[in-house]
């Protein structure tokens, strides 16, 4: 996956989710926890998880892919 022209490694399950949820005819903004939240930093991860209610409250649509 490339973000701002920078390649990042993602797991196959995330690749499948992005591929399934993407739109081929319009742009789509996605918040992807596995990318946006530093999974290796427990303090930052804990903080981000604690404000997820606020993040989701400001959205128009939420799709959860499990």
């Amino acid at each position: 996956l490339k973000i701002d022209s920078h390649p990042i490694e993602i797991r196959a399950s995330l690749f499948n989710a992005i591929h399934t949820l993407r739109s081929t005819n319009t742009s789509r903004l996605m918040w992807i926890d596995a990318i946006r939240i530093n999974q290796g930093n427990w303090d930052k991860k804990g903080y981000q998880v604690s404000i997820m209610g606020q993040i989701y409250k400001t959205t128009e649509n939420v799709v959860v892919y499990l």
Side-chain angles (χ1 to χ4, degrees):
L1 179 69
K2 284 187 180 180
I3 298 178
D4 296 329
S5 301
H6 300 287
I8 63 165
E9 216 174 296
I10 60 172
R11 295 178 187 240
S13 58
L14 177 54
F15 175 84
N16 291 333
I18 293 169
H19 190 284
T20 300
L21 298 172
R22 73 182 178 158
S23 174
T24 57
N25 55 359
T26 61
S27 64
R28 177 171 283 170
L29 177 64
M30 294 185 189
W31 171 274
I32 301 171
D33 294 347
I35 295 172
R36 297 296 302 161
I37 299 173
N38 182 347
Q39 302 296 312
N41 185 323
W42 287 97
D43 290 335
K44 287 185 180 180
K45 184 176 177 179
Y47 171 73
Q48 290 292 324
V49 169
S50 74
I51 64 168
M52 280 186 155
Q54 294 171 333
I55 292 168
Y56 291 130
K57 195 183 299 185
T58 62
T59 65
E60 291 182 25
N61 296 303
V62 175
V63 176
V64 177
Y65 186 92
L66 300 174

